[in-house]
């Protein structure tokens, strides 16, 4: 395995002109997913979105994206361990628990620096294990930590099982009893092998039972491409082993699962989630790329990709699961799904096919759902690993009759990388409507490819090698764009004249890329593409373009009007998306979908997750109905917003609009009923308000006052301030009222450890902003692949003076390079009106 994405052998040799066409996939017959709401299969478990090294450092990723994904369990590094530069279990635990997490598993052997772990003998290991347990024992929440005392023993230290299993049993016993001697109630996992090995498990459990050292949680890995077909048989076989040995059923955690090609891909991940939920076990996504990005489901530190939205949907489920029958059970890369029932609401999650799907729902109890139901179908698709995705659109919606306890829900096909959410509720109020904009996608390799090379990244064989590569849309991409006349041109047809969002899925090898955008051979602009981890680790760059109705040629080229763009233009192009824009960014959130009831009793809360395409001001309009005087308090990212309370003075329907600065990505928004009487939440409508951006003040870093070694540096994309930290500081003057602000720093930093065979050991840097006459506020800045390509990162800051300057630095280490700094008041307007007036 190799964690550094690489280019692979070309499909064709580069030539002066390569025309690649891909025949449209023949429309597959409609597949049927049967859902029986009357056949319950147990309480919803919600354990499939655990993660190995999903958290890197406090704030990376943000609390918002952790809470939205709501992993039950995570596995992290041993306290003060040397295996990776971040992911320390004790450093990330408080934030994880605050975001709703249940258990932190500790990989205790990750105390070692090398991979595979240095084998210095069991005495050396136990000497390293003891202080870990003692540190956890000093915590009041000690029982929320779980101990993985051996990781992959079949591959590390004990691979010669026939000759070393007795040594493993002896070493297991010593480590087990050491942990229990310090923490008598400690939960310990095992055997934790690289794959399911029935013979090893039977021998191990036989020994462990006889010697009173049974694991509390049974673990193994499911990493192979065939796990999607074989896992359920492994599960059944393991339960049979327990019964045959007279062992009470253990909790199971598949503590590393999924292939590299699957993480972040909704249509792939739904297959894994389904099988783990069906068997009511916990599962932890494998660590293939970076610590702290929720196993490729978080973009930057606080944004969401298409995969995150699927995990959020899964985390939103409640009630009981019901029987779902796919057309081909236990078949990899096929239609799979799961469903829950909670009161008069049923939810189905499905995906993994290019076919249209008929969701055939039976057991719809008219006493609960009535004679008609409202149906909404939403879609989330792959947006790349570093590609933002907003709230998934509703692609179809209808009010349909219930006939003999049955409802048929058509789900559109054509996208194997997508997953869908079907929500069925008792009909009430106005019928639901779809809100998806017109959208189309075009594979780069299917266009006119000139002086570049089409690469096959997935040959469809299902081999281990293919599964361990990063996903590529259409399985192919275009690379080697290293000539002045390299270009890719796709033909597009749009239905109306207007503005469209052009989304380019691309990869760079850890450098800022550049391409010249042409429409119908006219230069539009040069695109500056943020760096990505590697050639096949996809980002997505969005830009608006104007198109008239009809057919156009969209071309991405290595040369613009000024000539060859140089090495920065040698990027990998994967896919081009077009989405119709009909006005400012606008999203409607039915608060009946919020976590917690929309019927808020006094003191209770409801939580929703708001997505923003960019840093800036948005108008948040909340509708509710109250009895007597009603009051709502708003909390953004755990921060109660001053001046944003919504108050209705009397009984009736109310609407309150708050203009608030949102960070790009995901913001957790909590509503709290601060009144005495119950109220009912309706909808939240979020609209971009660019005019309000005038309230924000942005300063170029090089205009500030530098001290202690900080220096203005010229880079290929402009000047910035470097050498911040370790005595180097940047001071920015300010004027304005004290209060709650958002601080946006455009930063770059690419520090990492080297030497790990497949993980990228990225390092997080921090920067402290100290207000003259006020306090110091520290924020993390995640590795962003390059020293001179800048990402905006927004964090909260509370200011207490009228004009105290802000000084940025890091007294203990180096901080990131900084291009600009912006301060934006959190709330700038708040109004409430009675609806209908």
């Amino acid at each position: 395995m190799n964690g550094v994405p690489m280019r692979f052998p070309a499909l064709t040799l580069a030539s002066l002109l390569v025309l690649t066409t891909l025949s449209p996939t023949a429309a597959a017959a409609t597949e049927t997913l049967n859902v029986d709401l009357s056949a319950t299969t147990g309480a919803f478990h919600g354990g499939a979105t655990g993660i190995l090294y999903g958290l890197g450092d406090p704030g990376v990723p943000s609390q918002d994206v952790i809470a939205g994904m709501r992993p039950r369990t995570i596995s992290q590094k041993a306290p003060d361990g040397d295996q990776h530069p971040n992911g320390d279990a004790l450093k990330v635990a408080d934030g994880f628990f605050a975001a709703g997490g249940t258990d932190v598993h500790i990989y205790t052997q990750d105390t070692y620096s090398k991979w595979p772990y240095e084998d210095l003998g069991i005495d050396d290991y136990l000497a390293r294990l003891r202080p870990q347990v003692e540190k956890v024992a000093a915590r009041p929440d000690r029982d929320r930590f779980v101990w993985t005392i051996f990781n992959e023993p079949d591959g590390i230290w004990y691979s010669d099982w026939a000759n070393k299993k007795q040594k493993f049993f002896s070493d297991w016993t010593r480590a087990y009893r050491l942990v229990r001697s310090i923490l008598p109630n400690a939960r310990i996992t095992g055997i934790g092998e690289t794959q399911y090995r029935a013979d090893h498990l039977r021998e191990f459990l036989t020994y462990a039972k006889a010697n009173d050292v049974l694991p509390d949680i049974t673990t193994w890995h499911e990493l192979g491409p065939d796990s999607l077909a074989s896992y359920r048989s492994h599960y059944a076989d393991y339960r049979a082993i327990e019964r045959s040995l007279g062992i009470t059923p253990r909790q199971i955690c598949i503590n590393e699962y999924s292939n590299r090609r699957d993480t972040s891909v909704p249509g792939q991940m739904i297959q894994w989630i389904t099988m783990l939920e069906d068997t009511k076990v916990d599962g932890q996504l494998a660590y293939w790329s970076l610590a702290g990005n929720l196993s490729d489901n978080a973009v930057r530190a606080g944004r969401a990709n298409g995969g995150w939205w699927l995990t959020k949907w899964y985390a939103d489920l409640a009630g009981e699961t019901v029987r779902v029958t796919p057309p081909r059970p236990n078949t990899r890369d096929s239609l799979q799904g799961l469903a829950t029932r909670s009161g008069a609401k049923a939810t189905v999650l499905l995906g993994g096919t290019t076919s249209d799907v008929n969701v055939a729902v039976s057991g719809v109890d008219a006493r609960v759902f009535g004679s008609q139901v409202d149906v909404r179908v939403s879609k989330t698709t792959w947006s790349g690993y570093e590609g933002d995705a907003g709230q998934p659109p509703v692609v179809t919606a209808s009010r349909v009759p219930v006939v003999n306890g049955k409802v048929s829900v058509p789900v559109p096909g054509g996208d194997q990388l997508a997953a869908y959410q079907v929500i069925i509720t008792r009909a009430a109020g106005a019928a639901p409507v779809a809100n998806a904009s017109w959208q189309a996608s075009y594979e780069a390799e299917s266009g006119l490819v000139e002086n570049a090379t089409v690469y096959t990244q997935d040959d469809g064989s299902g081999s281990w090698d293919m599964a361990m590569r990063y996903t590529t849309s259409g399985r192919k991409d275009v690379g080697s764009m290293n000539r002045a006349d390299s270009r890719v041109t796709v033909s597009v047809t749009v239905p109306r004249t207007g503005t469209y969002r052009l989304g380019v899925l691309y990869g760079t090898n850890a450098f800022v890329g550049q391409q010249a955008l042409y429409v119908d051979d006219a230069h539009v602009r040069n695109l500056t593409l943020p760096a990505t981890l590697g050639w096949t680790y996809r980002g997505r760059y969005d830009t608006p373009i104007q198109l008239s109705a009809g057919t156009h040629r969209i071309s991405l080229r290595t040369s613009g009007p000024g000539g060859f763009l140089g090495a920065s233009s040698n990027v990998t192009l994967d896919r081009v998306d077009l989405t119709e824009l009909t006005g400012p960014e606008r999203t409607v959130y039915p608060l009946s979908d919020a976590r917690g009831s929309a019927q808020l009793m006094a003191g209770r809360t409801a939580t929703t997750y708001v997505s923003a395409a960019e840093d800036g001001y948005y108008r948040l309009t909340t509708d509710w109905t109250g009895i007597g005087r009603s009051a709502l308090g708003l909390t953004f990212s755990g921060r109660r917003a001053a001046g944003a309370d919504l108050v209705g003075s009397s009984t009736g329907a109310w609407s309150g609009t708050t203009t608030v600065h949102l960070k790009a990505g995901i913001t957790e928004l909590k509503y709290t009923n601060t009144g005495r009487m119950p109220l009912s939440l309706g909808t939240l409508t979020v609209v971009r308000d660019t005019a309000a951006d005038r309230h924000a003040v942005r300063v170029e870093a090089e205009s500030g006052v530098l001290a202690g070694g900080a220096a203005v540096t010229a880079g290929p994309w402009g000047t910035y301030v470097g050498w911040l930290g370790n005595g180097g500081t940047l001071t920015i003057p300010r004027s304005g009222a004290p209060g709650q602000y958002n601080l946006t720093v455009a930063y770059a930093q690419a520090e990492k450890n080297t030497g790990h065979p497949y993980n990228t050991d990225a390092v997080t840097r921090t920067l402290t902003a100290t207000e003259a006459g006020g306090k110091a506020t520290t924020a993390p800045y995640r590795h962003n692949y390059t020293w001179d390509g800048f990402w905006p990162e927004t964090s909260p800051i509370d200011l207490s003076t009228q004009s105290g300057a802000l000084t940025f630095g890091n007294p203990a280490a180096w901080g990131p390079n900084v291009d600009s700094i912006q301060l934006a008041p959190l709330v700038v307007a708040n109004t409430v009106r009675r609806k209908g007036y």
Side-chain angles (χ1 to χ4, degrees), residues 25 90 158 341 490 495 545 571 752 818:
T25 302
L90 297 189
Y158 310 97
R341 184 191 69 190
V490 295
I545 59 173
V571 305
K752 62 181 179 181
V818 174

Side-chain angles (χ1 to χ4, degrees), residues 429-709:
V433 294
N435 61 15
S437 299
W438 179 90
Q439 191 274 335
S441 295
Y442 307 87
E443 295 295 335
E445 67 274 10
S446 299
L448 179 64
V449 180
E450 301 176 67
N451 301 304
T453 304
V454 174
Y455 290 89
T456 296
Q457 302 295 355
D458 184 351
D459 63 11
S461 66
S463 68
W464 176 266
D465 177 57
M466 295 297 106
M468 289 302 105
R469 301 184 185 194
Y470 289 114
T471 286
T472 297
S473 180
R475 297 182 175 176
K476 300 175 184 178
D477 58 20
V478 178
S480 299
M481 297 191 68
N482 52 14
R483 295 179 54 167
D485 51 359
S486 299
R487 64 179 66 176
V488 172
T489 305
V490 295
S491 178
V492 306
T493 302
V494 298
R496 284 167 290 276
T497 297
T499 304
Y500 292 81
R501 182 177 67 238
L502 174 71
V504 179
L505 266 74
Y506 71 95
T508 80
N509 198 25
F511 60 84
V512 176
Q514 196 172 31
Q515 289 269 292
L517 170 65
Y518 284 76
V519 175
D520 298 330
D521 294 323
H523 181 255
V524 177
R525 65 182 69 93
N526 288 350
L527 308 182
T528 302
L529 310 175
T532 70
L533 176 65
W535 298 114
T536 58
Y537 196 82
R538 298 288 181 248
R540 197 191 68 238
Y541 182 85
D542 292 333
T543 188
I545 59 173
Q546 301 296 317
L547 296 174
S548 59
T551 300
H552 300 274
R553 298 183 310 280
I554 293 178
S555 186
L556 293 165
R557 306 179 180 181
T558 57
S559 293
F564 184 36
L565 298 173
S568 65
S569 64
N570 185 16
V571 305
T572 298
L573 296 176
D574 189 358
R575 192 180 77 202
V576 171
D577 297 334
L578 275 180
T579 305
E580 186 176 18
L581 302 176
T582 57
E585 181 187 350
R586 182 180 185 272
T587 311
V588 178
Y589 301 82
L591 294 176
S592 57
D593 294 342
R595 294 180 186 170
S597 175
Q599 312 303 314
L600 279 185
M601 304 300 290
R604 302 300 295 271
T605 64
T607 302
T608 192
Y609 292 85
V610 176
S611 64
E614 57 187 350
D615 294 281
Y617 283 95
Y618 290 77
R619 294 192 306 274
L620 278 62
T621 300
T622 305
D623 295 336
W624 79 96
T625 302
I627 300 173
R629 183 183 184 277
S630 55
L632 282 168
L634 275 59
T635 301
F636 297 92
S637 303
R639 188 185 192 193
R640 177 67 184 274
D645 285 5
L646 305 176
V647 177
S649 59
S650 59
T651 298
W654 295 87
S655 181
T657 299
T658 305
T659 303
V660 60
H661 188 272
L662 295 180
K663 62 187 177 183
I666 302 299
T667 294
E668 181 187 71
L669 169 57
K670 286 189 176 182
Y671 290 96
T672 302
N673 182 349
T674 57
R676 297 182 178 180
M677 301 296 291
L679 57 83
S680 178
L681 294 172
T683 59
L684 166 66
T685 303
V686 179
V687 180
R688 180 74 168 96
D689 185 358
T690 55
D693 287 351
R694 68 184 185 277
H695 295 283
V697 177
R698 181 176 180 273
V699 178
E700 293 297 325
E702 60 267 27
S703 69
V705 178
L706 307 182

Side-chain angles (χ1 to χ4, degrees), residues 258-556:
S258 78
N259 313 142
R260 183 180 276 147
R261 65 151 192 167
D262 292 343
T263 54
S264 84
V265 185
Q268 293 299 120
M269 289 310 305
I270 185 61
Q271 301 173 64
W272 294 93
I273 290 172
T274 293
M275 70 186 197
L276 296 176
E277 180 61 38
D278 282 353
T279 50
K280 307 301 181 188
V281 307
D282 289 338
Q284 296 174 348
L285 287 156
Y287 170 28
W288 294 119
S289 303
L290 304 169
N293 75 348
L294 300 180
S295 194
D296 298 326
N297 286 298
V299 175
R300 303 189 181 184
R303 308 185 188 193
N305 59 25
W308 184 89
W309 284 104
L310 170 64
T311 63
K312 191 263 183 188
W313 284 346
Y314 174 68
D316 286 341
L317 296 176
E320 294 181 306
T321 52
V322 299
R323 186 170 63 226
V324 175
T325 306
R328 292 183 293 160
N330 302 316
T331 303
R332 66 187 297 269
D333 299 346
S334 66
L335 171 63
Q336 303 294 328
L338 70 152
T340 59
R341 184 191 69 190
S342 179
K345 179 178 182 180
T347 304
V348 186
L349 304 182
L350 67 144
T353 180
T354 58
S355 302
D356 292 341
V357 177
N358 174 40
V359 180
V361 184
S362 60
V364 183
D365 189 340
R367 294 169 298 179
V368 177
F369 286 91
S371 60
Q372 288 187 311
V373 291
D374 288 341
V375 179
R376 286 181 285 135
V377 180
S378 300
K379 174 184 177 180
T380 180
T381 191
W382 187 61
S383 60
Y385 298 89
E386 289 283 4
D388 290 14
Q391 169 85 355
V394 178
V395 292
T396 67
S398 59
R399 177 167 288 173
V400 298
V402 178
V403 180
N404 297 324
K406 297 180 180 179
V407 172
S408 291
V409 181
V411 175
D415 188 353
Q416 191 165 4
L417 304 183
Y420 299 85
Q421 177 197 55
V422 178
I423 294 179
I424 302 171
T425 57
R426 187 183 184 103
V433 294
N435 61 15
S437 299
W438 179 90
Q439 191 274 335
S441 295
Y442 307 87
E443 295 295 335
E445 67 274 10
S446 299
L448 179 64
V449 180
E450 301 176 67
N451 301 304
T453 304
V454 174
Y455 290 89
T456 296
Q457 302 295 355
D458 184 351
D459 63 11
S461 66
S463 68
W464 176 266
D465 177 57
M466 295 297 106
M468 289 302 105
R469 301 184 185 194
Y470 289 114
T471 286
T472 297
S473 180
R475 297 182 175 176
K476 300 175 184 178
D477 58 20
V478 178
S480 299
M481 297 191 68
N482 52 14
R483 295 179 54 167
D485 51 359
S486 299
R487 64 179 66 176
V488 172
T489 305
V490 295
S491 178
V492 306
T493 302
V494 298
R496 284 167 290 276
T497 297
T499 304
Y500 292 81
R501 182 177 67 238
L502 174 71
V504 179
L505 266 74
Y506 71 95
T508 80
N509 198 25
F511 60 84
V512 176
Q514 196 172 31
Q515 289 269 292
L517 170 65
Y518 284 76
V519 175
D520 298 330
D521 294 323
H523 181 255
V524 177
R525 65 182 69 93
N526 288 350
L527 308 182
T528 302
L529 310 175
T532 70
L533 176 65
W535 298 114
T536 58
Y537 196 82
R538 298 288 181 248
R540 197 191 68 238
Y541 182 85
D542 292 333
T543 188
I545 59 173
Q546 301 296 317
L547 296 174
S548 59
T551 300
H552 300 274
R553 298 183 310 280
I554 293 178
S555 186
L556 293 165

